[in-house]
Amino acid sequence: MTFQPDAFIEALWLVFSFETAMWATIGVTVGVGIGAIPGLSASSGVALMLPLAFQIPAVPALALLIGIYKGAEFGGSISAISFSTPGTPAAAATVYDGYKMMQKGQGRKAVLMALYASVTGDTLGSLLTILVAPALALIALQFGPAEKFWLVVLALTLLAALGGPHFAKGMLAAAIGLFLGTIGTDPIASIPRMTFGFFWLDEGIYLASLLIGLFAVSRMIEEAVDLLKSRKLVAQQSEGAWAGMSKSGEGLSFAEYRSCWKEMLIGFGIGSFVGMLPGLG
């Protein structure tokens, strides 16, 4: 299976139709708002919009869900830069540099850099998917139990390696993930595993619920405690965020965007490779 120009042109007609573009725009707009709210991730946003997606045609529905997911991934950087609180798990790394720029009055520049980097990486990733996905599909169809086993071992090994000096923590996280993955009905024997007698665990733990419980609820509790401790600090942060994000704030020049091409390419390469492996995306 190779790249098929006819199928690509037909897909372009579907993507750039008015209905598809409209739903994609709605999805991106809603997604940015969802991602900017700490506690609501891209997965939870997609889950919330699934009932609506079932009521519209397939291609616009996919555009809506993809727009929500991509918009939420960028939207998470808004709260990360403004309040040092990542709106989505993917925006956790944005806090380190983005919030420092906000404190210096360069919040608008940080948000624009996050936006342009997201669009650049996503565009390159989409092109890579279009070119590589057919070949990967053929290879994946040839995978048997042994190949799938070693693929999972590779993913877990990289997961532990990404922990850096905290190797034990990385392995512990992988072990917890494997344990949670065993909860539910065995797909071969149809026997409930690790459900502890709770019937609502027969279908396993939904990823959206798990992400909300791990990242959203815990972060909301932490933020609630901080709000109770210092209301004045929150007011100061809000005023600073408004000043840093206003149109009068310092923007991003093309030269500054171009100077970050190495970092964007590194992120694109790592993200594409990691995204192809199970368990690390």
Side-chain angles (χ1 to χ4, degrees):
M1 184 182 297
T2 57
F3 177 74
Q4 299 179 357
D6 295 339
F8 180 71
I9 294 174
E10 183 180 356
L12 286 180
W13 279 107
L14 291 173
V15 169
F16 290 104
S17 66
F18 174 77
E19 185 179 12
T20 304
M22 179 189 70
W23 284 108
T25 303
I26 294 173
V28 171
T29 304
V30 174
V32 171
I34 290 176
I37 301 174
L40 290 180
S41 63
S43 300
S44 60
V46 171
L48 290 172
M49 298 300 290
L50 277 177
L52 175 60
F54 282 118
Q55 306 301 320
I56 57 179
V59 175
L62 287 174
L64 172 66
L65 298 179
I66 292 173
I68 291 173
Y69 188 88
K70 294 181 183 297
E73 290 296 334
F74 159 69
S77 63
I78 296 177
S79 57
I81 294 170
S82 302
F83 307 108
S84 185
T85 304
T88 58
T94 310
V95 173
Y96 296 107
D97 294 323
Y99 185 62
K100 292 179 182 178
M101 293 181 67
M102 171 61 72
Q103 291 176 317
K104 296 177 181 178
Q106 298 177 328
R108 184 166 178 261
K109 177 183 289 189
V111 171
L112 289 176
M113 188 66 240
L115 173 62
Y116 297 156
S118 297
V119 172
T120 302
D122 182 73
T123 302
L124 294 176
S126 299
L127 293 175
L128 180 66
T129 302
I130 292 172
L131 296 174
V132 176
L136 287 179
L138 285 178
I139 297 174
L141 290 174
Q142 304 299 321
F143 273 30
E147 289 81 4
K148 292 180 180 178
F149 170 78
W150 285 112
L151 184 63
V152 173
V153 170
L154 173 62
L156 294 177
T157 303
L158 289 177
L159 179 62
L162 288 175
H166 306 288
F167 177 78
K169 291 182 179 180
M171 293 303 297
L172 178 61
I176 294 175
L178 287 173
F179 168 74
L180 295 176
T182 60
I183 297 176
T185 303
D186 186 282
I188 298 177
S190 297
I191 299 174
R193 303 176 304 186
M194 311 299 292
T195 59
F196 306 101
F198 297 106
F199 69 90
W200 41 270
L201 287 176
D202 288 346
E203 296 184 4
I205 299 178
Y206 290 101
L207 179 61
S209 303
L210 179 63
L211 290 176
I212 293 174
L214 282 176
F215 297 104
V217 176
S218 60
R219 192 64 191 178
M220 288 171 63
I221 294 175
E222 292 178 2
E223 290 301 314
V225 173
D226 292 339
L227 285 173
L228 292 174
K229 287 182 177 179
S230 54
R231 294 175 179 265
K232 184 178 180 180
L233 178 61
V234 174
Q236 292 176 350
Q237 285 186 338
S238 300
E239 293 175 1
W242 181 261
M245 297 288 288
S246 63
K247 291 185 178 180
S248 60
E250 186 178 355
L252 181 73
S253 65
F254 179 73
E256 290 173 325
Y257 165 76
R258 187 177 57 188
S259 65
C260 298
W261 67 270
K262 289 184 180 179
E263 288 77 10
M264 288 188 286
L265 283 181
I266 292 173
F268 160 69
I270 295 176
S272 300
F273 175 69
V274 171
M276 294 177 187
L277 298 175
L280 289 181

